[in-house]
């Protein structure tokens, strides 16, 4: 839930997905990219990471980012711990979320496992995904071979009722799916996917009062400018 304190706005975004899908690496790369390349949203302070000796997240990672244009807007960004046994912890991290980025491990052998984590997210979100909480998808590790396609994942979303037909006013807010790679040397769409989720979250707040805004409202030029292409 967007928090307003001392005239500043705090928006909570969460990276969700199975163990080793790349969430912590994504946050690291996002931090470095946005800092070095001077993006519109930049880190406010160092990341907090709580991990086991194997590098797997123990509780969560957290980063605070700030919009350069709207200096009073802060993004508090979390990654969940993906190990199966941390299900309760993931639920805790989810509390008060404003936008979700689902990180799938694109390797085909993990197809079913990704769906399990999508189902878990759905159950925690209680029908609010897309309707109140914008959802963006990262098909991560696209640098590897034998990986799934956007269309395959879109069909999963359809089966899980997270995809709206064109006639539905909600179809504008169907999850945008990105092919990504989080490795710093060949990173792909890491900032773009984060920006898309933050942008949607802000639009939900400004034009939808915390819900997916009407298509008619999104037609005005100011909004189009904000949405970009
Ligand atoms: N090839 C490839 N490897 C990746 C990519 N993203 C992450 N990895 C590797 O995958 C492994 C797991 O990455 P993490 O970022 O720790 O995954 P996580 O989702 O945070 O895992 P948990 O904390 O256990 O939930 C590491 O060895 C990463 O270097 C990617 O895009 N491509
Ligand atoms: Mg992690």
């Amino acid at each position: 839930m967007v928090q307003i304190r001392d005239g500043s706005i705090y928006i909570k975004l969460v990276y969700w997905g199975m163990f080793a899908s790349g969430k912590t690496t994504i946050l690291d790369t996002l931090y470095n990219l946005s800092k070095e390349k001077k993006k519109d949203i930049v880190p406010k302070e160092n990341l907090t990471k709580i991990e086991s000796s194997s590098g797997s997240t123990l509780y969560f990672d957290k980063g605070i980012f700030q919009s350069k244009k709207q200096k009073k807007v802060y993004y508090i960004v979390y990654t969940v711990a993906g190990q199966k046994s941390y299900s309760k912890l993931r639920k805790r991290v989810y509390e008060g979320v404003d936008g979700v980025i689902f990180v799938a491990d694109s390797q085909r052998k993990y197809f079913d496992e990704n769906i399990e984590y999508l189902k878990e997210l759905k159950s925690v979100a209680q029908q609010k995904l897309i309707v109140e909480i914008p959802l963006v998808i990262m098909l991560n590790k696209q640098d590897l071979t034998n990986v799934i396609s956007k269309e395959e994942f879109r069909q999963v979303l359809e089966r899980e009722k997270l995809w709206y037909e064109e006639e539905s006013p909600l179809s504008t807010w169907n999850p945008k799916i990105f092919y990504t790679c989080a490795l710093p040397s060949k990173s792909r769409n890491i900032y773009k996917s984060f920006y898309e989720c933050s942008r949607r979250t802000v639009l939900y707040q400004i034009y939808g009062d915390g819900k997916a805004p009407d298509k008619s409202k999104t037609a005005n030029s100011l909004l189009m400018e904000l949405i970009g292409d």
Side-chain angles (χ1 to χ4, degrees):
M1 197 191 305
V2 169
Q3 305 260 342
I4 301 174
R5 262 182 281 130
D6 305 328
S8 292
I9 299 169
Y10 297 87
I11 292 169
K12 178 171 176 177
L13 304 179
V14 172
Y15 284 97
W16 186 286
M18 62 176 285
F19 49 88
S21 60
K23 303 174 293 297
T24 300
T25 314
I26 288 166
L27 189 59
D28 267 332
T29 301
L30 176 69
Y31 176 91
N32 291 321
L33 268 178
S34 54
K35 196 171 162 182
E36 286 157 18
K37 300 253 164 82
K38 305 207 170 26
K39 301 282 191 185
D40 289 344
I41 300 174
V42 290
K44 179 72 186 152
E45 51 188 64
N46 291 341
L47 300 178
T48 309
K49 292 196 280 182
I50 310 170
E51 53 194 22
S52 69
S53 53
S54 68
S56 167
T57 301
L58 259 187
Y59 296 105
F60 54 75
D61 309 305
K62 181 181 173 187
I64 302 178
F65 293 76
Q66 185 179 23
S67 163
K68 274 200 302 205
K69 285 185 193 149
Q70 283 98 26
K71 288 221 177 300
K72 293 191 165 179
V73 180
Y74 292 91
Y75 297 93
I76 319 294
V77 184
Y78 287 85
T79 79
V80 297
Q83 296 291 329
K84 283 218 165 105
S85 53
Y86 294 148
S87 166
K88 269 198 186 137
L89 195 58
R90 283 193 283 283
K91 211 170 165 176
R92 288 263 302 280
V93 173
Y94 183 88
E95 277 169 23
V97 79
D98 299 302
V100 176
I101 303 164
F102 182 85
V103 183
D105 188 325
S106 298
Q107 296 175 87
R108 193 167 294 284
K109 60 184 172 187
Y110 294 126
F111 193 77
D112 292 340
E113 203 107 49
N114 286 310
I115 299 174
E116 286 311 305
Y117 279 74
L118 187 67
K119 286 186 170 162
E120 184 189 55
L121 170 64
K122 260 178 65 181
S123 127
V124 172
Q126 299 178 327
Q127 322 283 333
K128 291 192 177 156
L129 290 173
I130 303 170
V131 184
E132 291 179 35
I133 311 275
L135 178 64
V136 165
I137 310 287
M138 296 174 82
L139 299 184
N140 197 37
K141 303 197 183 181
Q142 284 285 324
D143 54 301
L144 300 177
T145 50
N146 206 0
V147 289
I148 57 167
S149 69
K150 284 190 198 181
E151 178 53 22
E152 280 172 285
F153 203 82
R154 197 196 60 76
Q155 285 173 19
V156 169
L157 293 171
E158 214 167 64
R159 283 199 293 277
E160 294 302 326
K161 310 251 177 303
L162 292 170
W163 192 270
Y164 292 88
E165 296 295 324
E166 229 170 277
E167 305 79 58
S168 163
L170 282 169
S171 65
T172 324
W173 307 105
N174 277 338
K176 184 154 180 168
I177 307 174
F178 290 89
Y179 287 135
T180 68
C181 173
L183 300 179
S185 56
K186 37 188 167 177
S187 75
R188 180 178 179 196
N189 284 336
I190 298 301
Y191 182 78
K192 253 192 182 167
S193 43
F194 166 75
Y195 188 75
E196 180 63 21
C197 187
S198 57
R199 185 181 70 77
R200 288 189 183 204
T201 307
V202 170
L203 293 177
Y204 274 40
Q205 295 306 321
I206 302 179
Y207 295 99
D209 219 0
K211 294 204 169 74
D214 281 353
K215 230 179 190 169
S216 58
K217 284 192 191 152
T218 63
N220 77 54
S221 57
L222 172 66
L223 199 54
M224 290 318 283
E225 200 180 296
L226 278 167
I227 289 174
D229 56 20

